[in-house]
């Protein structure tokens, strides 16, 4: 929905730390521990992780409890964001969104807000989600760690082009898809 998920330039800090986000249901399929492992190998002052998706802090699942209890000082967990405008604001404040497990529409939403995505290669054909500078694919912990290090360098040198990412992601907006479908059906009538 490009009326909600769109580029907002003024929400990101230009200085380190690199703000890494995750948004989605927190369960073993999402493989959050891969992200935490990659972050643990970096200097605390270089990166912050903001993980959104806890169902309820009063009744954590076994998996959620293990993640939260073993967390580092530069990692913060938040409850699931149900309001789309607040979720868009979250994406727009992050420098990088990381999805170390199964993925969903959240990758498109983050890109629409101008935030690059790092995606675990869960299946073939994900290249379109990271093409044109929208992000990177990684196959293991080491590649994720290297990708985060690269994004730290890019942020430090102001090489993350958030507006270009949002522009490239506009191809996946409902308004664009609707227009494309209409053109296909109109042409074939």
């Amino acid at each position: 929905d490009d009326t909600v998920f769109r580029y907002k330039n003024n929400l990101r800090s230009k200085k380190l730390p690199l703000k890494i986000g995750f948004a989605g249901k927190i369960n073993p399929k999402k493989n959050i521990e891969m992200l935490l492992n990659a972050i643990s190998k970096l200097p605390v002052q270089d990166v912050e992780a903001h993980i959104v998706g806890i169902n309820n802090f009063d009744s954590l699942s076994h998996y959620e409890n293990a993640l939260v209890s073993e967390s580092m000082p530069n990692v913060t967990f938040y409850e699931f964001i149900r309001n789309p405008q607040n979720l868009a604001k979250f994406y727009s404040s992050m420098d990088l969104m990381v999805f170390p497990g199964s993925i969903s529409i959240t990758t498109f939403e983050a890109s629409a807000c101008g935030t690059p995505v790092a995606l675990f290669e869960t299946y073939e054909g994900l290249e379109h989600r990271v093409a044109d500078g929208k992000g990177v694919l990684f196959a293991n912990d080491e590649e994720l760690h290297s990708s985060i290090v690269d994004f730290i360098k890019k942020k430090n040198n102001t090489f993350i082009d958030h507006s270009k990412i949002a522009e490239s992601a506009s191809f996946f907006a409902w308004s664009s898809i609707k227009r494309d479908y209409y053109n296909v059906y109109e042409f074939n009538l």
Side-chain angles (χ1 to χ4, degrees), residues 3 22-23 30 45 48 57 75 88 101 117 128 130 132 167 169 172 175 183:
T3 63
F22 169 86
K30 300 298 181 169
Q45 68 273 13
E48 289 178 3
F57 275 105
V75 177
V117 295
H128 69 282
V130 298
D132 302 321
E167 182 181 327
F172 299 104
S175 59
N183 289 337

Side-chain angles (χ1 to χ4, degrees), residues 47-63:
V47 66
E48 289 178 3
H50 301 268
I51 300 173
V52 169
I54 296 289
N55 192 36
N56 182 341
F57 275 105
D58 293 330
S59 60
L60 295 173
S61 71
H62 178 68
Y63 181 71

